[in-house]
Amino acid sequence: MSARCPWCGDDPLYVRYHDEERGVPVHDDRRLFEFLTLEAAQAGLSWITILRKREAYRQAFAGFDPEAVVRLDPEQLMQNPGLVRNRAKLNSSVKNARAF
């Protein structure tokens, strides 16, 4: 293993992301949609905040299935405390699923 970047500190979630996911090419459409959604949610926030909410996103967004996400109601998603409850970000996730 190469040297670990200092930004991930010693948080196990961050370390696992650094060691297993960061910088690894992704070719799976569902996985790409997951990162698109999470990156949009992260805007203005720290990545560790989003990593901590990732499982809630997986549940709320049907495992990041774009075909299921297009049927979600952003207003209903606003009630989920596990998500970043920003109306514009949630609306964009549904719109991105349609475009995807």
Side-chain angles (χ1 to χ4, degrees):
M1 180 180 97
S2 61
R4 187 173 290 133
C5 301
W7 54 259
C8 66
D10 60 359
D11 184 298
L13 190 59
Y14 231 171
V15 169
R16 189 169 51 253
Y17 170 77
H18 177 280
D19 292 353
E20 298 173 13
E21 294 184 76
R22 184 177 181 273
V24 175
V26 176
H27 303 284
D28 176 72
D29 282 349
R30 190 177 282 204
R31 188 71 175 199
L32 288 168
F33 181 67
E34 175 179 358
F35 282 117
L36 172 69
T37 302
L38 295 177
E39 287 286 348
Q42 184 268 331
L45 302 171
S46 67
W47 186 239
I48 191 63
T49 297
I50 301 306
L51 286 177
R52 290 179 180 141
K53 293 179 175 284
R54 190 181 210 178
E55 287 307 315
Y57 271 89
R58 283 184 175 147
Q59 290 178 5
F61 284 69
F64 293 102
D65 176 4
E67 291 181 22
V69 174
V70 298
R71 295 187 297 274
L72 296 177
D73 177 4
E75 290 303 316
Q76 190 172 23
L77 292 170
M78 285 287 292
Q79 306 308 310
N80 187 330
L83 306 179
V84 174
R85 293 187 285 181
N86 176 293
R87 189 170 275 103
K89 290 178 180 185
L90 294 171
N91 282 332
S92 73
S93 294
V94 174
K95 288 180 183 179
N96 286 340
R98 287 185 194 126
F100 199 82

